[in-house]
Structures are given as structure tokens and as C-alpha cells.
Amino acid sequence: MTAGKIGAALAAGMLAMLAIAVGASADEPTGPRWTGFYVGAHGGYAKSRLDLAAPGTPDQRLEGGIGCIQVGYRRQFVDSGLVAGIEADVTAGDLADAVKDGNYIVQASRVAALGTVRGVIGYSMGSILPYVTGGLAWEFAKTGETCPTAPFGWCATHGPYSVRDAFADAGWVYGAGIELA
């Protein structure tokens, strides 16, 4: 069987499963299924790479455990399958790393919290809800650089120092997904 025939067979199978799922929902109540408030939680492990702009500085690989709470509200419009809502989440953790370059300078970073506030728009197909989402993302982070007393290199000529900074940063987040009821 060629790759084209395998792809066509897989596509036909997925369409058949979708048709069965949509057809199965015809016997269910016609009222909104996706309307209401919800609260959830999840946890896990996260990894990120921080590429520092200074030449010769090694990249930091931030990693650590995370825990998240999320809350939202969605409304399914009765006359259509359109579902719209808003969702917010806050993730706390300890994503951290410290690296030392060839001059004894230690650079450390830590992301302590991050989160999003997003709009959600989807289309209900019974118990299946494909959706798109987008909105504001933020993080709270700390960075620092320490130059200890050293026998040679930058720290030997510029003296020991320690600099710390904490900041909040904001940006955008977007995505898509499928939920099953």
C-alpha cells in the first residue's frame, strides 16, 4: 500500500469516527452542553532554554516542577454550536538554573509564576469541542549576576559584585485544541 493510499484510508477512518460521534449526539438533549463555570488544576514538569545575548555566556536551561489552577466560563449559544468564553490560569513553580562563564561570573534566573487570561471560541459537535484561544500572558521572574573574588579574569580586575533584579513581563498567547465531554 502506498503512502497516499494509507493517508486516504486514515482520513476516511477519521471522518467516519467524526460522523459517528456527531450522529451519536443527535439522540442527546438539545440544550447547551458547554455552558457554565469551571475550575481545574494540573501539575507537571517544565523545561525552557534561555539564550543570553552576551557573547561567551552559556545558555541557561530552566527546569522544575509546576502547579496550576484555572478558572473559566463558557456559553454555548442555543441556536448554533458556537461556544464562547473566557479562561484564566496561574502557574506557580520553581524553574531555575545558574551558569558560570569562563570569567567566574555566575548568572542565575528563576521563573516563579506565570499565567494567562484568554478568550475561547469553539464549535460544539456534541461531546467534541474544537476551539481556538488567545489573549494576554505574563510571567514573574528573577535574574542575577554574581562576580566573586577571583585570581584572574573579569572578576579579578573589576572586583566582586552581585546584582539582582525581579520583574514582570507580559506578552501574547494563542493556541487551539479539542475537548471531549
Side-chain angles (χ1 to χ4, degrees), residues 10-24 128:
L10 286 172
M14 285 194 253
L15 285 174
M17 287 189 291
L18 183 60
I20 290 168
V22 171
I128 301 171

Side-chain angles (χ1 to χ4, degrees), residues 76-152:
Q76 181 175 346
F77 296 92
V78 178
D79 294 336
S80 72
L82 181 66
V83 177
I86 188 164
E87 184 171 288
D89 58 76
V90 176
T91 301
D94 189 20
L95 306 176
D97 191 20
V99 295
K100 185 183 340 179
D101 69 10
N103 290 312
Y104 291 96
I105 298 173
V106 176
Q107 287 151 342
S109 296
R110 169 169 279 131
V111 175
L114 53 104
T116 68
V117 176
R118 298 172 281 111
V120 180
I121 297 175
Y123 187 80
S124 173
M125 296 186 293
S127 61
I128 301 171
L129 178 67
Y131 65 90
V132 295
T133 184
L136 175 70
W138 60 271
E139 73 170 345
F140 178 72
K142 296 178 181 179
T143 61
E145 182 174 286
T146 303
C147 190
T149 304
F152 61 87

Side-chain angles (χ1 to χ4, degrees), residues 56-73:
T57 304
D59 293 342
Q60 292 181 6
R61 306 220 187 282
L62 304 169
E63 56 184 283
I66 60 169
C68 175
I69 59 170
Q70 61 218 37
V71 62
Y73 177 80

